[in-house]
């Protein structure tokens, strides 16, 4: 017979283990988010994965948000960027989000590739598209954009390129500017 430890409350458990290292807890629509300082991300993630009663053993996603506002400011957030780690405990069938706010001047968080190798490409995508560096990442090359690309396209202050949409009334004008294969 297999002995499964009783499930622990992730909020109480991490607050007990890290004290002030847990900056905030957000409970919204049945989802729990633990907000931590960027330098604590790897320590808290390893704790969530390895602690009996928690066992968040699946990193389902890593995402990043740019809170920059065109009118100035960052919408009342502590920093411009938010990096969110989405964990799932297969043993206890529950989810948890870990979030770190990262400054624009030094957008750096530690890599989770030493804990979850699957973090590799997720972190590379965020580094490429948002410009957030993952300290200790084994392969920091660009993933989606060419090596000589300038900038990070998912940042909210990245200049937009656009193409005028073709309709019947402006088709001739649009087609004058389109490149066509020459025979």
């Amino acid at each position: 017979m297999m002995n499964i430890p009783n499930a622990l409350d992730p909020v109480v458990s991490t607050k007990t283990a890290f004290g002030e290292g847990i900056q905030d807890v957000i409970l919204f629509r049945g989802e729990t988010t633990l907000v931590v300082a960027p330098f604590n991300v790897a320590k808290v993630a390893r704790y969530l994965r390895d602690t009996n009663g928690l066992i968040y053993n699946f990193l389902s996603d890593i995402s990043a948000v740019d809170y920059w506002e065109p009118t100035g400011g960052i919408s009342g957030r502590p920093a411009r960027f938010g990096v969110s780690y989405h964990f799932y405990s297969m043993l206890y069938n529950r989810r948890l989000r870990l979030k770190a706010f990262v400054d624009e001047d030094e957008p750096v968080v530690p890599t989770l590739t030493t804990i979850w190798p699957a973090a590799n490409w997720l972190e590379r995508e965020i580094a490429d598209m948002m410009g957030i560096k993952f300290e200790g990442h084994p392969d920091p090359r660009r993933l989606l954009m060419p090596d000589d690309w300038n900038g990070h396209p998912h940042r909210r202050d990245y200049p937009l390129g656009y193409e005028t949409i073709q309709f019947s009334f402006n088709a001739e004008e649009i087609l004058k500017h389109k490149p066509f294969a020459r025979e």
Side-chain angles (χ1 to χ4, degrees), residues 66-77 79-80 104 156-157:
D66 184 356
Y67 292 109
W68 179 82
E69 290 288 337
T71 56
I74 51 175
S75 303
R77 306 305 195 296
R80 177 173 175 176
E104 177 179 9
R156 292 188 69 195
D157 58 351

Side-chain angles (χ1 to χ4, degrees), residues 162-175:
Y162 66 92
E163 182 174 335
T164 306
I165 299 171
Q166 181 176 329
F167 295 101
S168 57
F169 70 86
N170 66 351
E172 287 182 30
E173 183 64 29
I174 299 290
L175 293 174

Side-chain angles (χ1 to χ4, degrees), residues 4-180:
I4 298 174
N6 291 333
L8 298 175
D9 181 336
V11 173
V12 172
S13 181
T14 51
K15 277 187 158 188
T16 301
F18 292 95
E20 298 298 317
I22 305 299
Q23 296 175 333
D24 196 9
V25 176
I26 302 165
L27 302 170
F28 181 71
R29 294 190 178 178
E31 296 181 355
T32 304
T33 302
L34 301 175
V35 180
V36 299
F39 60 85
N40 275 334
V41 166
K43 291 179 222 160
V44 174
R46 186 176 301 277
Y47 177 81
L48 291 168
R49 185 194 70 179
D50 296 344
T51 302
N52 283 334
L54 296 177
I55 313 295
Y56 285 93
N57 51 353
F58 180 60
L59 172 67
S60 58
D61 196 15
I62 305 173
S63 59
V65 178
D66 184 356
Y67 292 109
W68 179 82
E69 290 288 337
T71 56
I74 51 175
S75 303
R77 306 305 195 296
R80 177 173 175 176
F81 302 109
V83 181
S84 293
Y85 301 86
H86 307 264
F87 302 119
Y88 178 67
S89 172
M90 289 188 253
L91 183 62
Y92 299 110
N93 188 27
R94 58 186 184 180
R95 298 180 185 281
L96 182 70
R97 183 181 303 113
L98 188 65
K99 187 169 190 173
F101 288 96
V102 185
D103 287 324
E104 177 179 9
D105 298 336
E106 195 175 338
V108 178
V109 291
T111 185
L112 292 189
T113 56
T114 56
I115 303 168
W116 285 283
N120 188 333
W121 287 54
L122 299 168
E123 290 177 354
R124 282 181 63 192
E125 179 184 1
I126 292 169
D128 192 4
M129 303 308 278
M130 295 289 280
I132 297 169
K133 292 177 180 61
F134 290 87
E135 192 172 48
H137 194 281
D139 186 10
R141 292 176 297 151
R142 291 198 96 146
L143 182 65
L144 300 171
M145 305 305 291
D147 289 334
D148 61 348
W149 191 268
N150 205 4
H152 305 285
H154 282 181
R155 287 188 175 192
R156 292 188 69 195
D157 58 351
Y158 189 79
L160 297 176
Y162 66 92
E163 182 174 335
T164 306
I165 299 171
Q166 181 176 329
F167 295 101
S168 57
F169 70 86
N170 66 351
E172 287 182 30
E173 183 64 29
I174 299 290
L175 293 174
K176 282 195 286 187
H177 303 289
K178 293 254 186 208
F180 290 100

